[in-house]
Amino acid sequence: MTTFAQTKPSLIAAVAVAASLFMAAAAQAQPVMKDGVLADPSGRTVYTFDKDEANKSNCAGGCLAKWPAFVAKAEAQAQGEFGVIEANGVRQWTYNSQPLYYFAGDAKPGDRNGDGMGGVWHVVGEKPAAKTSSSYKY
């Protein structure tokens, strides 16, 4: 017989995956600078991935489960350093041609738990950080 204590970690993981899928599915307006970093209009931090190419996402499958795309609204228009690309079946925001993502490990607006992860995931600050090379996958 399986107890709640045995299924609790699976339940928590399922809720985290569902939340990240919801974030990816919920189209957003253009990102804004909040508390020194780029975020969605509600304050959730967005990130760039060093392994992406200009206007091309290289995050798919398991990567997108941890790093959901920052999805643009259907009517979103590119302005200034912001752009919109078609990636993985959605319209995804970019900043200076770099696709933007959420981190599933951020629980609330203002969290920055993914910054520096694997040396390849970064918040976009008012002064961009230098890119580093790493064998980190996602």
Side-chain angles (χ1 to χ4, degrees), residues 25-101:
Q28 298 289 328
Q30 181 173 303
V32 296
M33 196 60 71
K34 250 186 194 171
D35 297 324
V37 299
L38 205 58
D40 72 8
S42 68
R44 295 189 67 87
T45 305
V46 295
Y47 301 83
T48 59
F49 182 38
D50 287 349
K51 297 189 181 223
D52 283 343
E53 298 167 41
N55 293 311
K56 181 178 184 289
S57 170
N58 287 319
C59 181
C63 177
L64 282 175
K66 285 184 179 178
W67 300 93
F70 179 44
V71 177
K73 290 183 176 183
E75 67 275 8
Q77 298 288 324
Q79 294 181 354
E81 63 269 346
F82 297 103
V84 178
I85 60 170
E86 297 288 331
N88 301 300
V90 298
R91 298 183 77 230
Q92 183 174 3
W93 280 109
T94 65
Y95 178 76
N96 289 333
S97 302
Q98 293 298 300
L100 296 173
Y101 305 87

Side-chain angles (χ1 to χ4, degrees), residues 7-21:
T7 60
K8 186 176 179 183
S10 297
L11 180 60
I12 292 170
V15 169
V17 168
S20 68
L21 292 174

Side-chain angles (χ1 to χ4, degrees), residues 50-51 116-122 130-137:
D50 287 349
K51 297 189 181 223
M117 188 157 298
V120 295
W121 290 97
H122 310 283
K131 290 186 177 185
T132 59
S133 64
S134 171
S135 60
Y136 181 78
K137 191 172 180 181

Side-chain angles (χ1 to χ4, degrees), residues 100-125:
L100 296 173
Y101 305 87
Y102 290 107
F103 176 51
D106 286 347
K108 64 186 181 311
D111 280 355
R112 299 176 187 175
N113 298 319
D115 191 27
M117 188 157 298
V120 295
W121 290 97
H122 310 283
V123 297
V124 177

